[in-house]
Amino acid sequence: CFSAHLDNASYPAASGACGRRQGGLAWVSGEPELRLLLGLLAEAAAPALLWVGLKRNASTCTRAEHPLRGFTWEGAGGGTVPQEVPAALGRWVKEPVRSCLSARCAGLHLVAVPESSPSWGWEE
């Protein structure tokens, strides 16, 4: 299940808050799941950047040819779960910084468009 918490928090704080509730930051593994999440968020949130469990470790380089650009879904216990994703999930508001030197996080940038589907993209 999903729940949205609209507090202004850093990625580590958001991840910790989910862990204290016996959960984790959301994963989006396919288009049906993404549509469900976008529909729920469009009802609950103003334009926002919402943390999901999308992270790139310091030892992993940006990969422009992959939909998630080298980011993976953060798993239980702080590890990452490699996951193939459809190309349709490779929508970025702005391309992530090309780097292999620092850990980076990404969130779901959501802009509700009246009378239409929400506009979205990943944002580092």
Side-chain angles (χ1 to χ4, degrees):
C1 73
F2 293 112
S3 66
H5 302 270
L6 304 178
D7 296 336
N8 187 9
S10 67
Y11 184 96
S15 182
C18 290
R20 287 189 295 281
R21 292 179 176 91
Q22 314 310 289
L25 292 171
W27 295 359
V28 180
S29 58
E31 291 178 75
E33 193 172 27
L34 176 65
R35 283 193 300 275
L36 172 67
L37 183 58
L38 291 174
L40 293 170
L41 292 172
E43 294 176 15
L49 176 63
L50 302 157
W51 292 123
V52 293
L54 199 52
K55 191 172 185 180
R56 191 186 75 222
N57 293 326
S59 61
T60 305
C61 296
T62 306
R63 310 247 347 209
E65 69 278 10
H66 292 142
L68 296 181
R69 309 300 191 261
F71 286 75
T72 56
W73 297 111
E74 187 172 35
T80 58
V81 178
Q83 197 167 23
E84 293 296 320
V85 298
L89 294 186
R91 183 185 295 182
W92 287 80
V93 173
K94 180 181 173 189
E95 286 296 320
V97 174
R98 295 186 66 93
S99 171
C100 303
L101 302 175
S102 62
R104 304 293 289 190
C105 311
L108 176 62
H109 181 90
L110 177 66
V111 177
V113 180
E115 312 272 333
S116 178
S117 298
S119 175
W120 70 276
W122 309 119
E123 185 173 337
E124 189 175 37

mmCIF file of all heavy atoms in Angstrom, residues 5-15 17 49 51:
data_model
loop_
_atom_site.group_PDB
_atom_site.id
_atom_site.type_symbol
_atom_site.label_atom_id
_atom_site.label_comp_id
_atom_site.label_asym_id
_atom_site.label_seq_id
_atom_site.Cartn_x
_atom_site.Cartn_y
_atom_site.Cartn_z
ATOM 1 N N HIS A 5 3.189 11.396 2.765
ATOM 2 C CA HIS A 5 3.454 12.266 3.910
ATOM 3 C C HIS A 5 4.072 13.534 3.349
ATOM 4 O O HIS A 5 5.126 13.492 2.734
ATOM 5 C CB HIS A 5 4.384 11.565 4.906
ATOM 6 C CG HIS A 5 3.804 10.269 5.393
ATOM 7 N ND1 HIS A 5 3.013 10.200 6.506
ATOM 8 C CD2 HIS A 5 3.854 9.012 4.886
ATOM 9 C CE1 HIS A 5 2.608 8.942 6.674
ATOM 10 N NE2 HIS A 5 3.106 8.217 5.697
ATOM 11 N N LEU A 6 3.411 14.636 3.555
ATOM 12 C CA LEU A 6 3.778 15.875 2.877
ATOM 13 C C LEU A 6 4.673 16.788 3.703
ATOM 14 O O LEU A 6 4.749 17.975 3.451
ATOM 15 C CB LEU A 6 2.507 16.606 2.435
ATOM 16 C CG LEU A 6 1.578 15.778 1.541
ATOM 17 C CD1 LEU A 6 0.326 16.557 1.181
ATOM 18 C CD2 LEU A 6 2.293 15.289 0.298
ATOM 19 N N ASP A 7 5.390 16.228 4.669
ATOM 20 C CA ASP A 7 6.340 17.021 5.452
ATOM 21 C C ASP A 7 7.538 17.389 4.577
ATOM 22 O O ASP A 7 7.903 16.664 3.664
ATOM 23 C CB ASP A 7 6.858 16.228 6.655
ATOM 24 C CG ASP A 7 5.756 15.888 7.643
ATOM 25 O OD1 ASP A 7 4.737 16.596 7.659
ATOM 26 O OD2 ASP A 7 5.921 14.915 8.383
ATOM 27 N N ASN A 8 8.158 18.505 4.888
ATOM 28 C CA ASN A 8 9.383 18.907 4.210
ATOM 29 C C ASN A 8 10.538 18.191 4.911
ATOM 30 O O ASN A 8 10.887 18.516 6.028
ATOM 31 C CB ASN A 8 9.540 20.430 4.291
ATOM 32 C CG ASN A 8 10.695 20.929 3.469
ATOM 33 O OD1 ASN A 8 11.293 20.174 2.698
ATOM 34 N ND2 ASN A 8 11.016 22.191 3.628
ATOM 35 N N ALA A 9 11.108 17.167 4.250
ATOM 36 C CA ALA A 9 12.146 16.360 4.890
ATOM 37 C C ALA A 9 13.195 15.960 3.865
ATOM 38 O O ALA A 9 12.924 15.905 2.670
ATOM 39 C CB ALA A 9 11.519 15.105 5.502
ATOM 40 N N SER A 10 14.380 15.644 4.347
ATOM 41 C CA SER A 10 15.450 15.132 3.486
ATOM 42 C C SER A 10 15.156 13.675 3.134
ATOM 43 O O SER A 10 14.319 13.016 3.762
ATOM 44 C CB SER A 10 16.786 15.227 4.225
ATOM 45 O OG SER A 10 16.777 14.334 5.338
ATOM 46 N N TYR A 11 15.887 13.153 2.166
ATOM 47 C CA TYR A 11 15.739 11.746 1.784
ATOM 48 C C TYR A 11 15.989 10.823 2.982
ATOM 49 O O TYR A 11 15.165 9.950 3.270
ATOM 50 C CB TYR A 11 16.677 11.423 0.620
ATOM 51 C CG TYR A 11 16.537 10.013 0.085
ATOM 52 C CD1 TYR A 11 15.747 9.751 -1.018
ATOM 53 C CD2 TYR A 11 17.222 8.951 0.670
ATOM 54 C CE1 TYR A 11 15.626 8.471 -1.531
ATOM 55 C CE2 TYR A 11 17.103 7.668 0.170
ATOM 56 C CZ TYR A 11 16.302 7.429 -0.929
ATOM 57 O OH TYR A 11 16.186 6.160 -1.417
ATOM 58 N N PRO A 12 17.111 10.997 3.734
ATOM 59 C CA PRO A 12 17.336 10.108 4.886
ATOM 60 C C PRO A 12 16.232 10.216 5.941
ATOM 61 O O PRO A 12 15.833 9.210 6.522
ATOM 62 C CB PRO A 12 18.682 10.559 5.454
ATOM 63 C CG PRO A 12 19.369 11.262 4.330
ATOM 64 C CD PRO A 12 18.269 11.883 3.511
ATOM 65 N N ALA A 13 15.725 11.425 6.173
ATOM 66 C CA ALA A 13 14.649 11.591 7.162
ATOM 67 C C ALA A 13 13.370 10.917 6.690
ATOM 68 O O ALA A 13 12.673 10.260 7.472
ATOM 69 C CB ALA A 13 14.412 13.072 7.439
ATOM 70 N N ALA A 14 13.058 11.052 5.410
ATOM 71 C CA ALA A 14 11.855 10.407 4.865
ATOM 72 C C ALA A 14 11.980 8.890 4.922
ATOM 73 O O ALA A 14 11.045 8.189 5.324
ATOM 74 C CB ALA A 14 11.622 10.869 3.428
ATOM 75 N N SER A 15 13.140 8.372 4.558
ATOM 76 C CA SER A 15 13.374 6.936 4.609
ATOM 77 C C SER A 15 13.261 6.423 6.049
ATOM 78 O O SER A 15 12.656 5.382 6.305
ATOM 79 C CB SER A 15 14.755 6.618 4.032
ATOM 80 O OG SER A 15 14.987 5.238 4.024
ATOM 81 N N ALA A 17 11.547 7.788 8.531
ATOM 82 C CA ALA A 17 10.150 7.872 8.966
ATOM 83 C C ALA A 17 9.359 6.668 8.446
ATOM 84 O O ALA A 17 8.532 6.098 9.169
ATOM 85 C CB ALA A 17 9.518 9.176 8.488
ATOM 86 N N LEU A 49 7.873 17.706 -5.007
ATOM 87 C CA LEU A 49 8.885 16.671 -5.202
ATOM 88 C C LEU A 49 8.724 15.720 -4.026
ATOM 89 O O LEU A 49 8.897 16.108 -2.874
ATOM 90 C CB LEU A 49 10.293 17.267 -5.224
ATOM 91 C CG LEU A 49 11.431 16.255 -5.333
ATOM 92 C CD1 LEU A 49 11.353 15.501 -6.660
ATOM 93 C CD2 LEU A 49 12.773 16.934 -5.192
ATOM 94 N N TRP A 51 9.736 12.103 -2.197
ATOM 95 C CA TRP A 51 10.772 11.078 -2.167
ATOM 96 C C TRP A 51 10.176 9.713 -2.441
ATOM 97 O O TRP A 51 9.141 9.345 -1.899
ATOM 98 C CB TRP A 51 11.479 11.044 -0.816
ATOM 99 C CG TRP A 51 12.312 12.235 -0.532
ATOM 100 C CD1 TRP A 51 12.201 13.077 0.546
ATOM 101 C CD2 TRP A 51 13.407 12.739 -1.305
ATOM 102 N NE1 TRP A 51 13.152 14.060 0.468
ATOM 103 C CE2 TRP A 51 13.906 13.884 -0.659
ATOM 104 C CE3 TRP A 51 14.008 12.333 -2.488
ATOM 105 C CZ2 TRP A 51 14.972 14.618 -1.145
ATOM 106 C CZ3 TRP A 51 15.073 13.072 -2.988
ATOM 107 C CH2 TRP A 51 15.547 14.203 -2.315
#
